[in-house]
């Protein structure tokens, strides 16, 4: 069995799903892929089922009953990956904002000693393509805010392109993770930080989606802004929960 699993959560990604799966499987380094689909009405899961015939024992599918948030989709995937004994477990978006060609770079950084590797938009300046200025400022400002509140020296704490060693996910209480939106990414890194795991960043170029619809909303931003401070306070006054 391959040692690496790429988890891709999906909801209405029919325009991207076949291309992203084939791009991962075209890499020289061999990865397995797990699609966690939230019962997409556009037929995303059906397309994955078709592709499973072509990529037997490499492509896997878990379909949940309804759209329940990015964080719970990843936790579902993490538990599946742990049960199947993968050593290196990746998060990646379906829309090509994360380049599959960067997966081997994250893998090598983990193999070379990191416990968590973040594909960072902000390690070397701002490496974002096709975002409007307001969104870039919002994301960069959020990253600064998170660093200030949590004390993590991670340039891109909201990043969703990540590699975890299995031991990290095994020692984090996944059922205690509070956030379900994009703030989930912050909480996972914060929990790894509190457990003294080695977090490294590699610089990537992030390109906003060309096909499909963004899942970003004002409620997701609000969760991140208010939730990070509450998370930090909980870690101080209820450390046993972290």
């Amino acid at each position: 069995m391959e040692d690496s699993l790429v988890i891709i959560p999906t909801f209405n990604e029919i325009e991207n799903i076949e291309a992203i799966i084939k791009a991962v499987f075209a890499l020289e380094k061999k990865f397995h892929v797990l699609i966690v689909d939230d019962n997409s009405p556009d037929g995303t899961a059906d397309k994955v089922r078709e592709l499973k015939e072509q990529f037997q024992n490499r492509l896997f599918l878990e379909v949940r009953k309804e759209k329940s948030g990015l964080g719970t989709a990843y936790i579902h995937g993490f538990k599946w990956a742990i049960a199947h004994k993968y050593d290196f477990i990746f998060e990646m978006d379906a829309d090509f904002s994360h380049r599959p060609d960067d997966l081997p770079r994250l893998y090598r950084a983990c193999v070379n000693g990191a416990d968590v590797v973040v594909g960072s938009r902000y390690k070397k300046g701002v490496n974002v393509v096709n975002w409007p200025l307001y969104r870039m400022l919002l994301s960069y400002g959020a990253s600064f805010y998170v660093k200030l509140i949590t004390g993590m020296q991670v340039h891109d704490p909201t990043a969703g392109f990540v590699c975890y060693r299995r031991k990290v996910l095994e020692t984090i209480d996944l059922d205690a993770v509070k956030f379900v939106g994009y703030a989930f990414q912050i909480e996972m890194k914060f929990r790894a930080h509190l457990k003294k795991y080695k977090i490294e960043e590699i610089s990537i170029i992030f390109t906003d989606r060309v096909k499909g619809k963004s899942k970003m909303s004002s409620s997701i931003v609000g969760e991140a802004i208010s939730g990070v401070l509450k998370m930090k306070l909980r870690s101080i006054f209820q450390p046993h929960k972290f």
Side-chain angles (χ1 to χ4, degrees):
M1 191 182 81
E2 300 299 336
D3 62 353
S4 301
L5 178 73
V6 180
I7 301 170
I8 303 177
T10 56
F11 183 75
N12 287 348
E13 291 289 355
I14 191 64
E15 295 172 284
N16 296 302
I17 194 62
E18 181 173 3
I20 195 73
I21 289 170
K22 289 184 174 179
V24 173
F25 288 148
L27 297 170
E28 183 177 352
K29 158 65 184 166
K30 300 305 179 185
F31 295 88
H32 286 180
V33 172
L34 171 66
I35 305 299
V36 181
D37 185 69
D38 278 359
N39 203 18
S40 299
D42 70 349
T44 298
D46 290 334
K47 173 55 68 174
V48 176
R49 290 186 185 98
E50 289 179 24
L51 292 168
K52 285 180 67 178
E53 297 299 316
Q54 182 178 350
F55 301 109
Q56 293 184 17
N57 301 317
R58 297 180 64 191
L59 176 60
F60 306 94
L61 173 66
E62 291 281 293
V63 179
R64 305 197 301 166
K65 291 182 179 180
E66 59 187 4
K67 193 172 187 292
S68 303
L70 181 75
T72 59
Y74 271 126
I75 287 174
H76 185 105
F78 291 160
K79 291 179 177 180
W80 192 95
I82 291 168
H84 289 81
K85 305 296 183 183
Y86 288 93
D87 295 322
F88 303 98
I89 300 160
F90 297 75
E91 299 179 0
M92 191 174 79
D93 289 349
D95 60 7
F96 284 93
S97 56
H98 304 141
R99 299 187 306 184
D101 287 351
D102 287 323
L103 283 168
R105 297 174 59 220
L106 271 69
Y107 174 77
R108 286 194 295 270
C110 246
V111 168
N112 289 334
D115 297 308
V116 181
V117 180
V118 179
S120 176
R121 297 164 290 187
Y122 307 129
K123 183 180 181 181
K124 297 179 180 178
V126 178
N127 292 316
V128 177
V129 178
N130 292 342
W131 264 7
L133 181 60
Y134 80 90
R135 187 168 177 185
M136 192 178 301
L137 292 174
L138 179 64
S139 175
Y140 192 80
S143 296
F144 179 80
Y145 170 76
V146 171
K147 288 168 66 177
L148 182 68
I149 298 297
T150 64
M152 288 192 295
Q153 295 305 306
V154 177
H155 294 89
D156 194 358
T158 64
F161 196 21
V162 187
C163 176
Y164 294 95
R165 284 182 177 269
R166 186 176 74 221
K167 68 178 182 181
V168 177
L169 300 179
E170 286 176 331
T171 54
I172 288 175
D173 183 356
L174 297 175
D175 292 326
V177 174
K178 295 287 186 180
F179 293 131
V180 298
Y182 281 79
F184 163 82
Q185 303 291 1
I186 302 169
E187 183 171 357
M188 286 298 298
K189 296 176 186 70
F190 185 57
R191 287 178 177 272
H193 166 75
L194 291 178
K195 291 184 178 293
K196 309 298 184 184
Y197 283 118
K198 184 178 181 182
I199 303 175
E200 289 187 5
E201 291 180 273
I202 63 168
S203 184
I204 65 162
I205 296 174
F206 178 96
T207 303
D208 196 21
R209 69 164 61 235
V210 175
K211 297 179 180 179
K213 186 178 179 181
S214 173
K215 312 304 189 295
M216 182 64 71
S217 68
S218 59
S219 64
I220 288 172
V221 175
E223 177 193 50
I225 292 173
S226 63
V228 167
L229 182 57
K230 294 177 183 177
M231 178 184 71
K232 175 64 175 179
L233 292 173
R234 287 202 314 272
S235 74
I236 295 171
F237 296 107
Q238 298 176 311
H240 62 284
K241 294 187 177 180
F242 286 82

